[in-house]
């Protein structure tokens, strides 16, 4: 069973001040989870989580994670700017991008971020853009299928990211010649894994590769970056990952592979996004229409512009009708947004309590890759983001867009007589 992190009474109070729809984040949940991650990897001296900014690019959220000891993982110019503005600097910033423009490498270098190269051809490109830094990382893609105990988790052979195994050797040799002194290895081989075995399985591949690369090239490997991919249970039938078990699984492989190779000083990094934030966000929306045609529809005041995952991936997001938590789910609805796209449905054939107009719905697990993926199709505007503080108060951490924002890039729009 999935329960919201706010009560109906709390939400009633919040919507008396802020109109729906909005994203609401849970500071307490975010902090507790970040502390648990830190504890899970406390056996590793250099451990650091670089929060994937793309998941929830909001300065208030970044500062909360900063207070919990996290850095940021960026992949664009504006994410670098936001990290800098929030006071992340130097080694606190990882730059894991791909298909990277030269000016983005230059800004990353200027901020002293750790650059994680997606391709071997990026060595010359980087050299041209800003020179080769002393500390550098390369992204590995072993190809083929990524499986855990015969279950295929994902398909790295089809992914655009990373270098092949022979390219990793060549890249490390080249970078060493160019003056790099501290090396890192990064890989992201499966997304939203709901199993405690993903990180340990990935770690084994990366640790063995690290030992080989150190032997082949003589470089000093300073860190191994397990990147993102630890998932969350979007559906109520799944068990959440146990981050303490995951950390312990990685520790075992570390003791097995790296320590005997004399590499017991390698720092472990993570670049989690979804795991850090997804469960600690709800999209709060109001039922404004009901429609009885070939199916039963509930129209809400949010749409795919506020949460794209159902439309884009057919993703399941759990829905709670607030104040009706204990009523029987004896109705079957499609819950829709207003876009002129038939895939703008937050739920299809979902069993829910009887919904009346004005009811408030909490759409779960929207804290990561939720607001962030928003767009402006149909001229729809992005919502506000609110933070539920640990003391129970609520603050707005991003206002909703206005028509003025929507037209802002049309130079002189309001001056022209249409
Ligand atoms: C998206 C991304 C992440 C975060 O992934 P999650 O699934 O949110 O954990 C981390 N690193 C890189 C390079 C990414 O592209």
């Amino acid at each position: 069973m999935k329960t919201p992190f706010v009560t109906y009474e709390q939400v009633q109070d919040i919507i008396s001040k802020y109109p729906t729809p909005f994203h609401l984040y849970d500071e307490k949940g975010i902090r507790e989870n970040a502390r648990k991650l830190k504890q899970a990897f406390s056996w590793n001296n250099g451990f650091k989580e670089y929060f994937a900014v793309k998941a929830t690019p909001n300065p208030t959220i970044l500062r909360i994670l900063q207070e919990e000891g996290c850095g940021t993982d960026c992949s664009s110019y504006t994410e670098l700017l936001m990290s800098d503005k929030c006071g992340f600097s130097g080694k606190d910033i990882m730059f894991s991008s791909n298909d990277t423009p030269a000016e983005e490498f230059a800004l990353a270098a200027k901020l002293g971020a750790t650059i994680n190269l997606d391709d071997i051809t990026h060595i010359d490109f980087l050299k041209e853009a800003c020179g080769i830094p002393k500390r550098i990382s390369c992204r590995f893609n072993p190809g083929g299928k990524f499986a855990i105990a015969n279950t295929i988790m994902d398909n790295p052979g089809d992914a655009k990211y990373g270098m092949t195994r022979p390219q990793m050797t060549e890249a490390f040799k080249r970078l060493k010649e160019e003056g790099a002194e501290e090396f890192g290895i990064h890989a992201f081989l499966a997304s939203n894994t709901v199993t405690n075995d993903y990180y340990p399985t990935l770690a084994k591949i990366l640790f063995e590769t690290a030992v080989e690369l150190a032997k082949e090239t003589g470089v000093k490997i300073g860190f191994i970056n397990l990147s993102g991919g630890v998932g969350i249970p979007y559906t109520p039938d799944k068990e959440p990952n146990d981050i303490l078990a995951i950390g312990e699984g990685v520790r075992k492989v570390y003791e097995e592979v790296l320590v005997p190779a004399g590499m017991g000083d390698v720092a472990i990094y993570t670049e989690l996004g979804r795991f850090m934030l997804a469960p600690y966000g709800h999209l709060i929306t109001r039922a404004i229409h009901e429609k009885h045609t070939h199916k039963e529809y509930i129209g809400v005041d949010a749409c795919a512009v506020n949460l794209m995952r159902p439309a884009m991936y057919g993703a399941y997001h759990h829905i709670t009708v607030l104040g009706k938590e204990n009523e029987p789910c004896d109705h079957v609805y499609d819950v829709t947004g207003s876009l002129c796209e038939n895939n703008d449905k937050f739920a299809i054939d979902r069993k829910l309590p009887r919904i009346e107009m004005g009811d408030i719905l909490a759409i779960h697990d929207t804290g990561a890759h939720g607001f962030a993926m928003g767009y402006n199709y149909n001229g729809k505007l992005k919502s506000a983001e609110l933070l539920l503080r640990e003391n129970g108060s609520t603050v707005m951490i991003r206002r909703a867009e206005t028509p003025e924002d929507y037209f802002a890039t049309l130079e002189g729009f309001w001056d022209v007589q249409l």
Side-chain angles (χ1 to χ4, degrees):
M1 180 151 146
K2 268 181 175 290
T3 48
F5 56 76
V6 276
T7 63
Y8 181 42
E9 289 69 32
Q10 275 175 305
V11 171
Q12 277 177 318
D13 182 45
I14 297 167
I15 61 179
S16 71
K17 295 179 202 125
Y18 304 99
T20 54
F22 52 79
H23 283 271
L24 180 68
Y25 304 103
D26 173 25
E27 180 177 15
K28 186 162 177 282
I30 294 168
R31 285 190 189 276
E32 282 173 1
N33 184 61
R35 284 173 200 171
K36 227 165 148 187
L37 171 72
K38 213 172 156 189
Q39 187 195 337
F41 285 91
S42 57
W43 53 267
N44 184 260
N45 273 336
F47 174 76
K48 196 168 179 80
E49 151 71 2
Y50 292 87
F51 174 66
V53 176
K54 72 161 190 252
T56 322
N58 185 296
T60 307
I61 300 293
L62 296 189
R63 288 204 186 94
I64 289 171
L65 291 170
Q66 187 176 46
E67 284 171 13
E68 300 301 335
C70 301
T72 57
D73 162 36
C74 303
S75 56
S76 68
Y77 198 86
T78 49
E79 288 178 0
L80 285 167
L81 287 179
M82 190 185 286
S83 296
D84 182 40
K85 190 86 179 152
C86 290
F88 296 90
S89 64
K91 279 189 179 179
D92 297 340
I93 307 174
M94 187 64 63
F95 188 54
S96 285
S97 62
N98 70 94
D99 192 14
T100 314
E103 60 273 20
E104 300 196 3
F105 275 138
L107 178 57
K110 190 177 140 211
L111 299 178
T114 303
I115 293 174
N116 180 34
L117 291 181
D118 183 65
D119 191 50
I120 190 159
T121 61
H122 293 184
I123 297 175
D124 286 330
F125 191 87
L126 180 68
K127 192 177 166 188
E128 177 85 5
C130 54
I132 302 295
K134 294 266 177 274
R135 179 177 145 96
I136 189 104
S137 171
C138 289
R139 183 166 182 168
F140 177 40
N141 181 339
K145 306 243 195 295
F146 179 80
I148 298 176
N150 297 324
T151 305
I152 292 171
M153 306 291 296
D154 223 319
N155 198 350
D158 263 353
K160 66 173 178 170
Y161 311 106
M163 308 183 199
T164 66
R165 180 62 190 80
Q167 287 175 335
M168 288 293 287
T169 304
E170 205 185 319
F172 274 29
K173 284 183 179 160
R174 272 288 322 278
L175 289 163
K176 192 181 169 197
E177 278 165 24
E178 295 291 344
E181 290 169 4
E182 189 192 357
F183 289 74
I185 304 174
H186 168 285
F188 190 159
L189 302 186
S191 198
N192 190 32
T193 58
V194 188
T195 156
N196 294 335
D197 295 328
Y198 171 62
Y199 262 3
T201 308
L202 172 70
K204 191 159 170 20
I205 296 170
L206 293 186
F207 294 171
E208 286 171 354
T209 306
V211 173
E212 288 170 18
L213 282 169
K215 280 205 187 107
E216 286 167 13
T217 65
V219 305
K220 160 82 191 151
I221 295 180
F223 56 94
I224 291 173
N225 187 341
L226 301 175
S227 188
V230 175
I232 61 132
Y234 285 98
T235 52
D237 59 306
K238 287 211 179 81
E239 275 297 304
N241 287 320
D242 177 353
I243 197 65
L244 297 179
I246 291 173
E248 177 56 17
V250 175
R251 189 192 65 77
K252 280 204 184 107
V253 187
Y254 191 97
E255 298 287 335
E256 255 170 53
V257 182
L258 287 181
V259 173
M263 294 170 69
D265 59 347
V266 171
I268 301 300
Y269 296 160
T270 56
E271 284 175 346
L272 295 167
R274 194 186 313 274
F275 182 79
M276 302 305 286
L277 251 300
Y280 314 109
H282 292 324
L283 174 57
I284 305 290
T285 183
R286 187 191 293 271
I288 56 171
H289 291 288
E290 59 188 307
K291 181 166 174 167
H292 317 280
T293 56
H294 307 290
K295 296 185 87 172
E296 291 295 296
Y297 294 102
I298 295 295
V300 295
D301 60 4
C303 64
V305 159
N306 309 110
L307 177 68
M308 201 185 196
R309 296 186 73 258
M312 193 163 173
Y313 312 118
Y316 179 98
H317 279 265
H318 199 64
I319 294 176
T320 300
V321 184
L322 293 169
K324 297 186 174 177
E325 288 83 349
N326 299 317
E327 290 186 19
C329 292
D330 53 3
H331 285 66
V332 176
Y333 296 115
D334 280 15
V335 178
T336 71
S338 60
L339 295 190
C340 304
E341 284 276 1
N342 196 42
N343 66 0
D344 187 12
K345 295 181 176 179
F346 291 116
I348 296 173
D349 298 330
R350 183 74 57 88
K351 284 186 179 153
L352 289 165
R354 181 185 145 70
I355 295 175
E356 279 142 300
M357 295 305 88
D359 278 356
I360 303 295
L361 278 57
I363 303 180
H364 291 242
D365 301 315
T366 64
H369 312 295
F371 176 92
M373 280 176 125
Y375 58 129
N376 283 116
Y377 196 52
N378 266 169
K380 290 284 173 173
L381 305 175
K382 288 180 209 156
S383 78
E385 292 179 290
L386 309 179
L387 178 68
L388 180 65
R389 287 276 185 206
E390 284 185 295
N391 65 12
S393 67
T394 306
V395 283
M396 184 161 70
I397 59 174
R398 186 195 300 265
R399 67 163 172 80
E401 278 182 340
T402 62
E404 286 72 19
D405 294 319
Y406 182 78
F407 295 122
T409 48
L410 301 169
E411 209 78 51
F413 174 79
W414 296 106
D415 311 329
V416 177
Q417 206 67 44
L418 292 175

